Amino acid sequence: TTDRLGNKNSACYLNGKNAYVELPLSELYNFGRDDQFTLSAWIAPDAGNSWPAQALLVKSPFDFDFTVSQWTYGLYLLNYKGMSGFAYRAILNSKTTINSKNCWFNLTVTYQKGKWRMFINGTEEDNAIKQPEYVNNNVKAKLAIGRKGASRGDWYKGKIDEVLLY
């Protein structure tokens, strides 16, 4: 689809039902509690998705019941607000509602040794220090864009561009 700069065929459109991008297993995606990383994506979600939690970039193992699959880390929309953290914990929650399909939003989360920070369009929306809680380093979990890792659920519906993990 068209990206945030108006370039045709330069971004992904995910349908909220079965479209996603799964990255191959890699040591590069395995983070521990003493590591640091950043997750970032430009998004333009469609209104009316039936999933209250929409996975943007999530690392999670497979489970037949996706609701019990403990996600390792991720970038989510929860009721059209930014959300991030790990396992069953939603550590960060944005104040800004992200719901316009005619406007792009940048959602970024940083993690460094237990400190989490969330930004929307460059403005810090939330932060937390959570130790001894830390990132669950599950080497068998898969990283996906548009769904909850290897589990079939939390489908994202809308445009997504410039997904970054570093």
Side-chain angles (χ1 to χ4, degrees):
T1 189
T2 304
D3 71 9
R4 66 186 185 88
L5 301 174
N7 300 310
K8 293 181 180 179
N9 300 317
S10 296
C12 287
Y13 178 80
L14 304 175
N15 64 14
K17 296 177 184 174
N18 58 11
Y20 66 98
V21 176
E22 185 176 276
L23 285 73
L25 288 174
S26 173
E27 287 293 319
L28 297 172
Y29 315 137
N30 296 335
F31 303 118
R33 72 182 203 183
D34 293 326
D35 292 327
Q36 58 186 6
F37 60 88
T38 298
L39 310 172
S40 181
W42 282 92
I43 59 172
D46 285 356
N49 190 344
S50 61
W51 294 91
Q54 297 183 63
L56 301 171
L57 176 64
V58 178
K59 187 172 187 225
S60 181
F62 174 79
D63 195 296
F64 285 105
D65 180 356
F66 79 94
T67 63
V68 298
S69 176
Q70 291 197 12
W71 45 301
T72 305
Y73 58 81
L75 195 58
Y76 263 95
L77 285 182
L78 180 61
N79 296 317
Y80 291 94
K81 294 188 179 198
M83 191 263 289
S84 186
F86 62 94
Y88 289 118
R89 295 168 176 86
I91 292 174
L92 301 175
N93 294 285
S94 76
K95 298 164 191 71
T96 301
T97 300
I98 301 171
N99 64 0
S100 172
K101 75 181 213 177
N102 296 320
C103 179
W104 287 86
F105 291 84
N106 178 256
L107 180 57
T108 300
V109 170
T110 63
Y111 172 85
Q112 182 177 11
K113 297 181 181 180
K115 182 167 184 173
W116 296 81
R117 296 174 73 193
M118 175 181 286
F119 302 86
I120 300 218
N121 295 338
T123 300
E124 187 169 350
E125 294 256 334
D126 198 8
N127 64 68
I129 296 176
K130 296 289 184 181
Q131 285 203 335
E133 294 176 327
Y134 52 86
V135 174
N136 173 7
N137 187 3
N138 185 335
V139 298
K140 294 182 180 179
K142 291 192 176 180
L143 184 61
I145 298 167
R147 79 171 189 184
K148 186 178 183 181
S151 290
R152 296 190 175 273
D154 294 346
W155 300 96
Y156 171 70
K157 185 176 183 182
K159 294 181 179 183
I160 190 163
D161 192 17
E162 296 184 35
V163 178
L164 302 171
L165 167 62
Y166 52 96

